[in-house]
Amino acid sequence: MALKIVKGSIDRMFDKNLQDLVRGIRNHKEDEAKYISTCIDEIKQELKQDNIAVKANAVCKLTYLQMLGYDVSWAAFNIVEVMSSSKFTYKRIGYLAASQCFHESTDVIMLTTNQIRKDLSSPNQYDTGVALTGLSCFVTPDLARDLANDIMTLVSHGDCVKRKRCSVLIMYKVFLKYPESLRPAFPRLKEKLEDPDPGVQSAAVNVICELARRNPKNYLSLAPLFFKLMTSSTNNWVLIKIIKLFGALTPLEPRLGKKLIEPLTNLIHSTSAMSLLYECVNTVIAGQYCSSVGSVVLCVQKLRILIEDSDQNLKYLGLLAMSKILKTHPKSVQSHKDLILQCLDDKDESIRLRALDLLYGMVSKKNLMEIVKKLMLHVDKAEGTTYRDELLTKIIDICSQSNYQYITNFEWSVSQPVTPHPPGISVSWWTIRVFAVAQMATLLDNAHLLTGSMQRNGICEVLYAAAWICGEFSEHLENPLQTLEAMLRPKVATLPGHIQAVYVQNAAKLFATVLKSQEGNTDSTTAQETSQLMIDRLPLFVQSANLEVQERASCILQLVKYIQKLQQKDVEVAEEVIALFAGELNPVAPKAQKKVPVPEGYLDLTPPSESESEDEQPKAIFAKEEPKHSRPRHTEVDEKELARRREARKQEQANNPFYIKASPSSQKVYQDAPGVEHIPVVQIDLSVPLKVPGLPMSDQYVKLEEERRQKERAEKKKKEKKKRKEKRSGRGKKHDSGPESEEDITPAHMVDIVTEEMPEVRCVSLQIQFSTSRIFNELSPSSFWVFNEKKSSKHKKKKQKKEKEEKEKKKKKKKHHHHHHHSDGGGEESVQNGTVEEEEPLPVSVYDIQGNLQDGSQVVVSVIFENKCDSFLKSMEFNVLDSLNSKLQRPEGSGPHDGLTVPFQLPPGVSNEARFVFTVQSIVMPQKLKGTLTFIVKNEDSSTHEKLDFKLHFTCTSYLITTPCYSDAFAKLLESGDLKGSSVRLEGVNMPFHHLLARICFHHHFSVVERIDSCASMYSRSIQGHHVCLLVKTSGQTVSIDAKCDEPTLLGNVLDEIKQTFSQC
Amino acid sequence: MLTRSGTAQCSRSCSVVQYLTQTWSVISSCGVYVYIGPGNTQGEFLCNVAVSQKESNEMMRFMLLFSRQGKLRLQKWYTATAERDKKKMVRELMQIVLARKPKMCSFLEWRDLKIVYKRYASLYFCCAIEEQDNELITLEVIHRFVELLDKYFGSVCELDIIFNFEKAYFILDEFLMGGEIQDTSKKSVLKAIEQADLLQEEDESPRSVLEEMGLA
């Protein structure tokens, strides 16, 4: 016996272990299969031995071979043997092999039940561990039934936390295989939700979440518990699960949505974990939370950040989620068209494809041409055929979406080489026929360029249409003979059958046209040559495999042969040939056309330039017009009507202070456009050039279109100028247009005039601030204060100041900047620095507080420092005494009282801007922060250390962000009943209503939702997602503001601030 | 070395991990309790779990490790799948993933699953998750696993995994169980593995003496 054991051990020394096997396989790359088969033979021998160590080694090797793809099911029993070894080393290997190789139909599994039960109850926690892991992989219904009880014992009595965790997790598997076990086990599982160990707790959450996803109904009662967990847990893994669970529950209980929206938006604002953010956003999108527009806007904002990120993964997911929003809230996505178009330039194909998908949903009448043009550019650049095909398909899909409803300009679309047109378009819009026919002829002429890519995608369909159009309207062709020649090229035979058939038929039509045109000619050679051409080429089609082609071709061939005979006898045949087709095909089109009543929009299409200008106008124009006008009169009326409407529109725009004229970004697009033609097409390395040489029209068309638009715009401007002059002469009578209305907003007004009349540096700096704020809507200069200024003894300065003060009095403008003697109505004092000596020149600063869109708890304060003295200022340090609520963000490692170095120095007369970030906890109250600015004043001979105290006033308004809101969403928000109301009355406000609105928008970051007469609803959102809704009414000099907000304190403060604004005027 | 190979790939991976692992502040509970539905009888549970016809609802369907040359290094299936289907899926997936360019994002849609993969040096880690699952957290699971391997082997390389593939499995099992994360703490996973190894060495000590003789 002893000898046997020794012998076994010695044998083992010569056995291959796993490492040897792996090494061997690597060394036998040539004959791997052969080597492995010998190895398997060895393993079989080893398995026959009694020594468990040898067996375990063999099983370990088998597990490796199994991964390489070899069948090891024959060794199943040996695996069970190794599993039941009492030594952990072998047991571990056995369970691993089992978890890799066993599946439900492995019959030896039933032999394992007792072994597993023994291991589960083993005092050694590692035995339990491997058993649980193994079981999780190969649990069968039988095993689940037999072992459910043992697992339950582990769950409730297991002393090792880690095993407890595993057993909770494995319960899910058991429930799946043996559902009857769920009922008795559930109370214990629920207990585990409140287990002191976070690991066990999260395991229980996992299991219940997974269960609930299958059948949410039964888990609704757990919602409060999960809600508590959600608001208290800090573990992202658990939070993601819970949020997912709520995602499954909300459809069943809509009220849950309302409760959840707040914690979800909070999470979205606060979390830095992208996975959690993404989960929240996804849940908000998918859930019933969509009634709240604010949350969708927030999601879109966050997604934009994801998409803008340089990380491809985030970009991809951002686009993915965006496309989900697109389905429910297309408008909020459409405003990010620029971003999506940018993504088309991405290196990553999957991202480009996602962007394409999105674009498809974003197309509207107005942007179709622009989007398609951009896509066409990409077609040229595209590398890789799959992507290009996808692009082309998408372009075609986009154009033909909803039966061409978005195409407003058919001439343009006809000139796009890839858009397939149902011949119907050309028939019904006969005004563009000539154009279309010319285009199609060129297309046919260049068909060989398309044929390369033809088999793969639908481009050839365009040839079908082209051939038909050319044949049917051949009288419009400039050179029918050339087109005929093109249609009979041998290459045509490679086209699909149905297209060939159309080719043949229409070749005959063209033939007739050619004959007709040659009729009067004494020289009949051309006509005869044409017949010869037909006779030469048609046999190719007669041989076609396609029956239709064959039939038509042979028929026409015979006909042509007959005609040729007649021609040789000098008989005039053309009339008869034409009649042949006239009788057959022509009667439909012209007559049918006459019978069809002139469609409403028809006239607008005739001169294409006009249709576009109409486009911007309200649709109501068409409805008001009488449909029965005869055509010429109609246009006349139209002209007048148009002028009148235009005037009316201008007026309306003038009334509307929010009318934004063509934004700089859109102008940029136009500027780029003329350059498009110069893009070197030749250099692009394409197997199949998609640019058809004869078709420069599409680009030209866009260009024309733009020129026209520009002209229009120029005209508009002229008119406006004129009006402005008028207005100046007869002030107050006329409403002012866009820019002028802004003049009435105090800061703009002030800035304008100040710069004109007092070219002083400070004012210029103000203006810069202002202009940027116009570009970024949310950056609003409502809070500009000069909080310290030089008290100069120098004459020049004093004089200037005097001037300024005079100006201020004259204009009666709002006290937007103050000299140190004034104190602002808003309550913030301009701080007078007592320590500064009279002669000491000081920098002047102006600041602006702005909420950080990306983070609900951050506020950015931009301060403009201006040096108004004659000395050099350096080493500026900005410091603020933090309050409990607001803290200046300092770089890591610096103490809570350290100042921030201002990253620049100021030579005399220079100004610069620095930004400081503050973390704000609560935004419902206005706050004041005290601070100091220390700096060194350097003169030629001396330098002194100076200090300047100031106060920063954070108004509640500065936490609001201008957010657009649609009226229906606004109504929903009010109906939701979550908002609390408050109201305020303003007496003695003496200004036109639209100025009043403009002022609220401007100073308090609101946007107008709807305005009816002397009543308007307005909306804004705080950086932490509070909705603020206003209803402003005016009668005489009294203005009443009813307001609603989900945060009453915030609302009260905002209203106070609004009141303040108006008490100053 | 896997994680410290200093490639562009690596730096990108870091940024993700930073996002994911940064601590984040807890929003104070507002004390709002949610509606409690009409009294639920737990009897209803029974029939329902079994009703769903779909295969299963794991967080993760399987995890694969394969090399750039298309050699499978590790596979873990969290749902019972027939051997033949496994092979087919592995082959298909490898082809797709290996064909992707390095700058492409880590996600793709495949059959009815979502694939999340990431390349570390010469190895691809590839997970299949379900439609509703979170890609980013899966990416973190992968990264965690790589970190664990790295800690255990000490700057792990592909060869470590080839020659000690059973250890790699043990680590994976200790970290994930049935497709769910069982332990989020790296420390405790490693501790468990080390102790199990210790136990194994006690078992093995007589054997290893012999083996040393044999190998020497």
Side-chain angles (χ1 to χ4, degrees), chain A residues 12 19 89 92 100 126 162 173 183 210 214-215 218 236-237 239 244 279 309 313 348, chain B residues 19 24 26 46 48 52 57 75 78 105-106 132 134 163 169 174 181 183 195 200 203 207:
Chain A
R12 269 187 47 224
Q19 274 75 18
T89 318
R92 203 183 190 188
Q100 292 299 106
Y126 294 100
K162 205 162 163 52
K173 295 273 180 185
R183 184 179 194 173
E210 290 302 329
R214 311 184 127 219
N215 183 25
N218 294 324
N236 285 357
W237 309 79
L239 275 171
K244 205 164 269 184
E279 193 63 51
D309 200 286
N313 294 335
D348 186 346
Chain B
Y19 282 132
W24 50 284
V26 196
L46 309 178
N48 300 307
S52 68
N57 234 0
Q75 58 172 347
Y78 293 110
C105 70
S106 301
Q132 316 93 319
N134 190 318
F163 283 104
Y169 275 126
E174 205 64 41
I181 291 138
D183 204 332
Q195 278 174 356
Q200 182 167 348
D203 281 353
R207 186 195 155 190

Short mmCIF file of all heavy atoms in Angstrom, two decimals, chain A residues 12 19 89 92 100 126 162 173 183 210 214-215 218 236-237 239 244 279 309 313 348, chain B residues 19 24 26 46 48 52 57 75 78 105-106 132 134 163 169 174 181 183 195 200 203 207:
data_model
loop_
_atom_site.label_atom_id
_atom_site.label_comp_id
_atom_site.label_asym_id
_atom_site.label_seq_id
_atom_site.Cartn_x
_atom_site.Cartn_y
_atom_site.Cartn_z
N ARG A 12 3.77 11.16 -10.49
CA ARG A 12 3.30 12.54 -10.63
C ARG A 12 4.41 13.48 -11.03
O ARG A 12 4.19 14.47 -11.71
CB ARG A 12 2.67 13.00 -9.33
CG ARG A 12 1.19 12.73 -9.26
CD ARG A 12 0.63 13.36 -8.03
NE ARG A 12 1.10 14.72 -7.87
CZ ARG A 12 1.51 15.21 -6.72
NH1 ARG A 12 1.56 14.48 -5.66
NH2 ARG A 12 1.89 16.48 -6.64
N GLN A 19 1.17 24.10 -16.32
CA GLN A 19 2.18 24.96 -16.96
C GLN A 19 2.87 24.23 -18.11
O GLN A 19 3.12 24.81 -19.17
CB GLN A 19 3.21 25.43 -15.93
CG GLN A 19 2.82 26.68 -15.17
CD GLN A 19 1.76 26.40 -14.11
OE1 GLN A 19 1.57 25.24 -13.72
NE2 GLN A 19 1.06 27.44 -13.68
N THR A 89 -7.64 22.36 -1.97
CA THR A 89 -6.94 22.57 -3.23
C THR A 89 -7.64 21.86 -4.37
O THR A 89 -7.85 22.44 -5.43
CB THR A 89 -5.52 21.99 -3.13
OG1 THR A 89 -4.99 22.35 -1.86
CG2 THR A 89 -4.64 22.51 -4.23
N ARG A 92 -11.37 22.98 -4.99
CA ARG A 92 -11.41 24.24 -5.72
C ARG A 92 -11.30 23.99 -7.22
O ARG A 92 -12.06 24.53 -8.02
CB ARG A 92 -10.23 25.09 -5.24
CG ARG A 92 -10.35 26.55 -5.42
CD ARG A 92 -9.04 27.16 -4.95
NE ARG A 92 -9.11 28.61 -4.86
CZ ARG A 92 -8.05 29.36 -4.63
NH1 ARG A 92 -6.86 28.81 -4.42
NH2 ARG A 92 -8.16 30.67 -4.57
N GLN A 100 -17.24 25.46 -15.31
CA GLN A 100 -16.93 25.76 -16.70
C GLN A 100 -17.57 24.75 -17.65
O GLN A 100 -17.92 25.11 -18.77
CB GLN A 100 -15.41 25.76 -16.93
CG GLN A 100 -14.68 26.90 -16.24
CD GLN A 100 -15.14 28.26 -16.72
OE1 GLN A 100 -15.84 28.95 -16.01
NE2 GLN A 100 -14.76 28.65 -17.93
N TYR A 126 -14.31 28.69 3.13
CA TYR A 126 -13.83 28.66 1.75
C TYR A 126 -14.48 27.52 0.98
O TYR A 126 -14.75 27.66 -0.22
CB TYR A 126 -12.30 28.57 1.72
CG TYR A 126 -11.72 29.83 2.28
CD1 TYR A 126 -11.25 29.89 3.59
CD2 TYR A 126 -11.71 31.00 1.53
CE1 TYR A 126 -10.77 31.06 4.13
CE2 TYR A 126 -11.23 32.18 2.05
CZ TYR A 126 -10.76 32.21 3.35
OH TYR A 126 -10.31 33.38 3.86
N LYS A 162 -19.12 37.54 4.14
CA LYS A 162 -18.86 37.36 2.72
C LYS A 162 -19.74 36.24 2.16
O LYS A 162 -20.32 36.37 1.09
CB LYS A 162 -17.39 37.02 2.52
CG LYS A 162 -16.90 37.40 1.15
CD LYS A 162 -15.40 37.46 1.11
CE LYS A 162 -14.90 37.42 -0.32
NZ LYS A 162 -15.49 38.37 -1.22
N LYS A 173 -30.70 33.10 -8.41
CA LYS A 173 -30.60 31.96 -9.33
C LYS A 173 -31.58 30.86 -8.92
O LYS A 173 -32.21 30.23 -9.77
CB LYS A 173 -29.18 31.40 -9.27
CG LYS A 173 -28.14 32.33 -9.78
CD LYS A 173 -28.00 32.18 -11.26
CE LYS A 173 -26.95 33.13 -11.78
NZ LYS A 173 -26.84 33.10 -13.22
N ARG A 183 -41.65 32.42 -2.34
CA ARG A 183 -42.61 32.85 -1.33
C ARG A 183 -42.09 32.71 0.10
O ARG A 183 -42.06 33.70 0.84
CB ARG A 183 -43.91 32.06 -1.48
CG ARG A 183 -44.96 32.53 -0.53
CD ARG A 183 -46.22 31.74 -0.74
NE ARG A 183 -47.33 32.38 -0.07
CZ ARG A 183 -48.57 31.97 -0.19
NH1 ARG A 183 -48.86 30.97 -0.97
NH2 ARG A 183 -49.52 32.59 0.45
N GLU A 210 -33.53 42.77 -9.62
CA GLU A 210 -33.63 41.87 -10.76
C GLU A 210 -35.00 41.21 -10.80
O GLU A 210 -35.61 41.07 -11.86
CB GLU A 210 -32.53 40.81 -10.71
CG GLU A 210 -31.13 41.36 -10.97
CD GLU A 210 -31.00 42.05 -12.31
OE1 GLU A 210 -31.70 41.66 -13.25
OE2 GLU A 210 -30.22 43.01 -12.39
N ARG A 214 -38.59 41.81 -13.62
CA ARG A 214 -39.40 40.82 -14.34
C ARG A 214 -40.87 41.01 -14.04
O ARG A 214 -41.71 40.79 -14.88
CB ARG A 214 -39.01 39.42 -13.91
CG ARG A 214 -37.53 39.24 -13.96
CD ARG A 214 -37.19 37.82 -13.63
NE ARG A 214 -36.35 37.33 -14.69
CZ ARG A 214 -36.43 36.11 -15.18
NH1 ARG A 214 -37.33 35.29 -14.73
NH2 ARG A 214 -35.63 35.74 -16.13
N ASN A 215 -41.15 41.38 -12.84
CA ASN A 215 -42.56 41.49 -12.46
C ASN A 215 -42.73 42.61 -11.44
O ASN A 215 -42.87 42.38 -10.26
CB ASN A 215 -43.00 40.15 -11.87
CG ASN A 215 -44.46 40.18 -11.54
OD1 ASN A 215 -45.21 40.95 -12.13
ND2 ASN A 215 -44.85 39.39 -10.57
N ASN A 218 -45.49 43.35 -8.08
CA ASN A 218 -45.48 42.83 -6.72
C ASN A 218 -44.52 43.55 -5.79
O ASN A 218 -44.49 43.29 -4.60
CB ASN A 218 -45.13 41.36 -6.74
CG ASN A 218 -46.20 40.56 -7.43
OD1 ASN A 218 -47.37 40.88 -7.29
ND2 ASN A 218 -45.80 39.58 -8.21
N ASN A 236 -22.58 53.86 -5.36
CA ASN A 236 -23.07 54.05 -6.73
C ASN A 236 -23.66 52.79 -7.33
O ASN A 236 -24.63 52.83 -8.07
CB ASN A 236 -21.93 54.51 -7.63
CG ASN A 236 -21.60 55.94 -7.39
OD1 ASN A 236 -22.25 56.60 -6.58
ND2 ASN A 236 -20.59 56.45 -8.06
N TRP A 237 -23.07 51.66 -7.01
CA TRP A 237 -23.55 50.40 -7.58
C TRP A 237 -24.99 50.17 -7.14
O TRP A 237 -25.85 49.81 -7.93
CB TRP A 237 -22.70 49.22 -7.11
CG TRP A 237 -21.24 49.41 -7.30
CD1 TRP A 237 -20.41 50.15 -6.51
CD2 TRP A 237 -20.42 48.89 -8.34
NE1 TRP A 237 -19.13 50.09 -6.99
CE2 TRP A 237 -19.10 49.32 -8.11
CE3 TRP A 237 -20.69 48.06 -9.43
CZ2 TRP A 237 -18.05 48.97 -8.94
CZ3 TRP A 237 -19.63 47.72 -10.25
CH2 TRP A 237 -18.32 48.17 -10.00
N LEU A 239 -27.05 52.44 -5.94
CA LEU A 239 -27.94 53.49 -6.45
C LEU A 239 -28.39 53.19 -7.87
O LEU A 239 -29.56 53.37 -8.21
CB LEU A 239 -27.21 54.83 -6.42
CG LEU A 239 -27.29 55.56 -5.08
CD1 LEU A 239 -26.39 56.76 -5.08
CD2 LEU A 239 -28.73 55.99 -4.81
N LYS A 244 -32.74 51.84 -11.39
CA LYS A 244 -33.26 50.94 -12.41
C LYS A 244 -34.60 50.33 -11.94
O LYS A 244 -35.54 50.22 -12.70
CB LYS A 244 -32.23 49.85 -12.66
CG LYS A 244 -32.33 49.24 -14.02
CD LYS A 244 -31.08 48.49 -14.35
CE LYS A 244 -30.12 49.41 -15.06
NZ LYS A 244 -28.92 48.84 -15.51
N GLU A 279 -27.32 56.69 -15.84
CA GLU A 279 -28.47 55.90 -15.41
C GLU A 279 -29.66 56.81 -15.08
O GLU A 279 -30.79 56.56 -15.48
CB GLU A 279 -28.07 55.06 -14.18
CG GLU A 279 -29.06 53.98 -13.83
CD GLU A 279 -29.20 52.94 -14.92
OE1 GLU A 279 -28.17 52.43 -15.37
OE2 GLU A 279 -30.34 52.65 -15.32
N ASP A 309 -17.69 65.76 -24.64
CA ASP A 309 -16.52 65.19 -23.99
C ASP A 309 -15.61 64.53 -25.02
O ASP A 309 -16.06 64.07 -26.06
CB ASP A 309 -16.97 64.15 -22.96
CG ASP A 309 -15.89 63.89 -21.94
OD1 ASP A 309 -14.90 63.23 -22.26
OD2 ASP A 309 -16.06 64.38 -20.82
N ASN A 313 -16.53 57.04 -25.46
CA ASN A 313 -17.61 56.26 -24.85
C ASN A 313 -18.75 57.15 -24.39
O ASN A 313 -19.92 56.87 -24.62
CB ASN A 313 -17.09 55.48 -23.65
CG ASN A 313 -16.10 54.44 -24.07
OD1 ASN A 313 -16.14 53.98 -25.21
ND2 ASN A 313 -15.19 54.08 -23.20
N ASP A 348 -14.65 57.98 -35.04
CA ASP A 348 -15.30 56.71 -34.72
C ASP A 348 -16.56 56.51 -35.56
O ASP A 348 -17.49 57.31 -35.50
CB ASP A 348 -15.64 56.69 -33.24
CG ASP A 348 -16.18 55.34 -32.80
OD1 ASP A 348 -16.54 54.55 -33.70
OD2 ASP A 348 -16.26 55.11 -31.60
N TYR B 19 -13.73 59.30 -13.54
CA TYR B 19 -15.14 59.68 -13.47
C TYR B 19 -15.88 58.78 -12.51
O TYR B 19 -16.67 59.19 -11.70
CB TYR B 19 -15.82 59.47 -14.83
CG TYR B 19 -15.53 60.55 -15.82
CD1 TYR B 19 -15.14 60.20 -17.11
CD2 TYR B 19 -15.65 61.88 -15.48
CE1 TYR B 19 -14.88 61.18 -18.03
CE2 TYR B 19 -15.38 62.85 -16.41
CZ TYR B 19 -14.99 62.49 -17.69
OH TYR B 19 -14.75 63.44 -18.60
N TRP B 24 -18.61 61.12 -4.49
CA TRP B 24 -19.64 62.08 -4.84
C TRP B 24 -20.48 62.36 -3.62
O TRP B 24 -20.61 61.53 -2.73
CB TRP B 24 -20.46 61.58 -6.00
CG TRP B 24 -20.94 60.22 -5.79
CD1 TRP B 24 -20.22 59.07 -5.91
CD2 TRP B 24 -22.23 59.84 -5.37
NE1 TRP B 24 -20.99 58.02 -5.60
CE2 TRP B 24 -22.22 58.44 -5.27
CE3 TRP B 24 -23.39 60.53 -5.08
CZ2 TRP B 24 -23.33 57.74 -4.89
CZ3 TRP B 24 -24.49 59.82 -4.70
CH2 TRP B 24 -24.45 58.45 -4.62
N VAL B 26 -23.57 63.15 -1.14
CA VAL B 26 -24.89 62.57 -0.97
C VAL B 26 -25.89 63.70 -0.82
O VAL B 26 -25.65 64.68 -0.14
CB VAL B 26 -24.95 61.75 0.32
CG1 VAL B 26 -26.16 60.86 0.31
CG2 VAL B 26 -23.68 60.99 0.52
N LEU B 46 -45.57 33.99 -6.54
CA LEU B 46 -45.19 32.67 -6.96
C LEU B 46 -45.23 32.45 -8.45
O LEU B 46 -44.25 32.11 -9.07
CB LEU B 46 -46.09 31.66 -6.26
CG LEU B 46 -46.09 31.94 -4.78
CD1 LEU B 46 -47.01 31.00 -4.06
CD2 LEU B 46 -44.69 31.86 -4.23
N ASN B 48 -45.26 34.34 -10.79
CA ASN B 48 -44.76 35.31 -11.75
C ASN B 48 -43.33 35.13 -12.22
O ASN B 48 -43.01 35.40 -13.35
CB ASN B 48 -44.92 36.70 -11.19
CG ASN B 48 -46.35 36.98 -10.89
OD1 ASN B 48 -47.18 36.81 -11.77
ND2 ASN B 48 -46.65 37.31 -9.66
N SER B 52 -41.95 34.58 -17.05
CA SER B 52 -41.18 35.21 -18.13
C SER B 52 -40.48 34.15 -18.95
O SER B 52 -39.82 33.26 -18.43
CB SER B 52 -40.16 36.17 -17.55
OG SER B 52 -39.20 35.43 -16.86
N ASN B 57 -32.20 36.99 -16.83
CA ASN B 57 -32.10 38.43 -16.69
C ASN B 57 -30.85 38.84 -15.93
O ASN B 57 -30.90 39.71 -15.09
CB ASN B 57 -33.34 38.91 -15.94
CG ASN B 57 -34.04 39.98 -16.72
OD1 ASN B 57 -33.56 40.33 -17.80
ND2 ASN B 57 -35.10 40.51 -16.20
N GLN B 75 -13.05 32.55 -20.22
CA GLN B 75 -14.46 32.75 -20.56
C GLN B 75 -15.31 32.39 -19.35
O GLN B 75 -15.04 31.42 -18.66
CB GLN B 75 -14.86 31.91 -21.77
CG GLN B 75 -14.63 30.43 -21.57
CD GLN B 75 -15.22 29.64 -22.72
OE1 GLN B 75 -15.98 30.14 -23.51
NE2 GLN B 75 -14.86 28.37 -22.80
N TYR B 78 -22.47 33.24 -17.51
CA TYR B 78 -23.34 33.32 -16.36
C TYR B 78 -24.73 32.75 -16.64
O TYR B 78 -25.59 32.74 -15.77
CB TYR B 78 -23.41 34.76 -15.86
CG TYR B 78 -22.08 35.20 -15.32
CD1 TYR B 78 -21.30 36.13 -15.98
CD2 TYR B 78 -21.58 34.64 -14.15
CE1 TYR B 78 -20.07 36.50 -15.49
CE2 TYR B 78 -20.35 35.00 -13.65
CZ TYR B 78 -19.60 35.93 -14.32
OH TYR B 78 -18.37 36.28 -13.83
N CYS B 105 -15.33 53.75 -29.80
CA CYS B 105 -15.85 53.66 -28.45
C CYS B 105 -16.01 52.18 -28.05
O CYS B 105 -15.95 51.29 -28.88
CB CYS B 105 -17.16 54.40 -28.33
SG CYS B 105 -18.50 53.62 -29.19
N SER B 106 -16.23 51.98 -26.78
CA SER B 106 -16.16 50.62 -26.24
C SER B 106 -17.46 49.84 -26.31
O SER B 106 -17.56 48.79 -25.72
CB SER B 106 -15.74 50.68 -24.77
OG SER B 106 -14.51 51.31 -24.68
N GLN B 132 -31.18 46.77 -20.88
CA GLN B 132 -31.40 47.85 -19.90
C GLN B 132 -30.17 48.10 -19.03
O GLN B 132 -30.20 48.96 -18.16
CB GLN B 132 -32.57 47.53 -18.97
CG GLN B 132 -33.81 46.99 -19.62
CD GLN B 132 -33.79 45.48 -19.60
OE1 GLN B 132 -32.76 44.85 -19.85
NE2 GLN B 132 -34.93 44.86 -19.34
N ASN B 134 -26.36 49.05 -17.65
CA ASN B 134 -25.57 50.27 -17.74
C ASN B 134 -24.17 49.97 -18.28
O ASN B 134 -23.41 49.23 -17.67
CB ASN B 134 -25.49 50.86 -16.32
CG ASN B 134 -24.91 52.24 -16.32
OD1 ASN B 134 -23.95 52.51 -17.01
ND2 ASN B 134 -25.52 53.12 -15.55
N PHE B 163 -0.76 31.15 -17.92
CA PHE B 163 -0.20 30.08 -17.10
C PHE B 163 -0.94 29.87 -15.78
O PHE B 163 -0.84 28.81 -15.18
CB PHE B 163 1.29 30.35 -16.85
CG PHE B 163 2.13 30.02 -18.04
CD1 PHE B 163 2.64 31.03 -18.85
CD2 PHE B 163 2.38 28.70 -18.40
CE1 PHE B 163 3.39 30.73 -19.97
CE2 PHE B 163 3.14 28.40 -19.51
CZ PHE B 163 3.65 29.41 -20.31
N TYR B 169 -9.55 32.77 -12.76
CA TYR B 169 -10.95 32.41 -12.54
C TYR B 169 -11.34 32.60 -11.08
O TYR B 169 -12.42 33.09 -10.77
CB TYR B 169 -11.20 30.95 -12.93
CG TYR B 169 -11.49 30.75 -14.39
CD1 TYR B 169 -10.75 29.86 -15.15
CD2 TYR B 169 -12.53 31.43 -15.01
CE1 TYR B 169 -11.01 29.66 -16.49
CE2 TYR B 169 -12.81 31.23 -16.35
CZ TYR B 169 -12.05 30.35 -17.08
OH TYR B 169 -12.33 30.16 -18.41
N GLU B 174 -14.51 35.46 -7.13
CA GLU B 174 -14.59 36.15 -5.86
C GLU B 174 -15.17 37.55 -6.04
O GLU B 174 -15.72 38.13 -5.11
CB GLU B 174 -13.20 36.22 -5.24
CG GLU B 174 -13.17 36.35 -3.74
CD GLU B 174 -13.77 35.14 -3.02
OE1 GLU B 174 -13.50 33.98 -3.46
OE2 GLU B 174 -14.48 35.35 -2.05
N ILE B 181 -22.08 41.85 -9.06
CA ILE B 181 -20.91 42.14 -8.25
C ILE B 181 -21.18 41.64 -6.84
O ILE B 181 -22.19 41.96 -6.24
CB ILE B 181 -20.66 43.64 -8.22
CG1 ILE B 181 -20.22 44.07 -9.60
CG2 ILE B 181 -19.60 44.00 -7.20
CD1 ILE B 181 -20.81 45.31 -10.06
N ASP B 183 -18.64 41.74 -4.40
CA ASP B 183 -17.83 42.48 -3.44
C ASP B 183 -17.25 43.70 -4.14
O ASP B 183 -16.52 43.56 -5.10
CB ASP B 183 -16.73 41.58 -2.91
CG ASP B 183 -16.25 42.06 -1.57
OD1 ASP B 183 -16.35 43.28 -1.31
OD2 ASP B 183 -15.80 41.22 -0.78
N GLN B 195 -6.17 34.22 1.37
CA GLN B 195 -6.40 33.22 2.42
C GLN B 195 -6.71 31.86 1.84
O GLN B 195 -6.23 30.84 2.34
CB GLN B 195 -7.53 33.70 3.34
CG GLN B 195 -6.97 34.65 4.36
CD GLN B 195 -8.04 35.28 5.22
OE1 GLN B 195 -9.24 35.04 4.99
NE2 GLN B 195 -7.62 36.09 6.17
N GLN B 200 -4.61 26.44 0.50
CA GLN B 200 -4.17 25.51 -0.54
C GLN B 200 -2.73 25.10 -0.31
O GLN B 200 -2.37 23.94 -0.45
CB GLN B 200 -4.32 26.21 -1.90
CG GLN B 200 -3.95 25.33 -3.07
CD GLN B 200 -4.42 25.95 -4.37
OE1 GLN B 200 -5.20 26.89 -4.37
NE2 GLN B 200 -3.95 25.42 -5.46
N ASP B 203 -2.38 22.51 2.25
CA ASP B 203 -2.72 21.22 1.67
C ASP B 203 -1.55 20.65 0.89
O ASP B 203 -1.29 19.46 0.91
CB ASP B 203 -3.90 21.38 0.69
CG ASP B 203 -5.20 21.48 1.45
OD1 ASP B 203 -5.16 21.28 2.66
OD2 ASP B 203 -6.23 21.74 0.81
N ARG B 207 3.46 18.06 -1.26
CA ARG B 207 3.56 17.87 -2.70
C ARG B 207 4.61 18.79 -3.30
O ARG B 207 5.43 18.39 -4.11
CB ARG B 207 2.20 18.15 -3.34
CG ARG B 207 2.20 17.84 -4.81
CD ARG B 207 1.01 18.44 -5.50
NE ARG B 207 1.31 18.62 -6.91
CZ ARG B 207 0.57 19.28 -7.74
NH1 ARG B 207 -0.54 19.83 -7.32
NH2 ARG B 207 0.91 19.40 -8.99
#
